[in-house]
């Protein structure tokens, strides 16, 4: 599995799992949503282990940029709110940082 695919799956799983808890605790959804949410968060953690990096912390740091982009996509697609220009600028900056981290991830 490629790093990009592992990060994309991890982001979807993490956001879905966290959103399940958000829906229960903030929007009054049924508590049964917490079980698939927890399973989704487990998938998130597992997917991050597929990333090719010399250290877990480096893989997690680079993932942060991907998570931000995925969160804004979720905001738009699921919550129906278009990202603001400042959201997009911040996400671009973070994604650039994640790219820099990944460029050195395989080096010792």
């Amino acid at each position: 599995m490629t790093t990009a695919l592992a990060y994309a799956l991890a982001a979807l799983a993490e956001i879905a799992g966290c959103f399940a808890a958000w829906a229960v605790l903030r929007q009054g959804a049924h508590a049964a949503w917490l079980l698939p949410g927890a399973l989704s968060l487990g998938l998130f953690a597992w997917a991050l282990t597929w990333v090719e990096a010399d250290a877990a912390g480096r893989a997690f740091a680079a993932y942060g940029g991907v998570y931000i982009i995925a969160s804004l996509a979720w905001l738009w697609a699921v919550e129906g709110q278009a990202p603001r220009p400042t959201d997009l600028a911040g996400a671009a900056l973070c994604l650039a940082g994640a790219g820099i981290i990944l460029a050195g991830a395989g080096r010792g």
Side-chain angles (χ1 to χ4, degrees):
M1 172 171 293
T2 68
T3 295
L5 187 56
Y7 277 150
L9 178 61
L12 178 61
E14 182 180 15
I15 293 166
C18 289
F19 188 75
W22 177 278
V24 170
L25 298 172
R26 300 280 307 263
Q27 297 178 328
H30 193 277
W33 279 103
L34 294 174
L35 179 59
L39 293 173
S40 187
L41 289 171
L43 175 60
F44 149 69
W46 186 39
L48 281 183
T49 67
W50 304 335
V51 172
E52 293 297 326
D54 61 348
R58 192 164 289 121
F60 302 163
Y63 166 72
V66 176
Y67 177 79
I68 290 168
I69 297 294
S71 295
L72 293 176
W74 182 280
L75 172 73
W76 199 352
V78 176
E79 297 184 70
Q81 295 187 35
R84 297 176 181 140
T86 52
D87 295 331
L88 299 175
L93 183 61
C94 291
L95 199 55
I100 292 168
I101 292 169
L102 276 177
R107 297 178 174 94

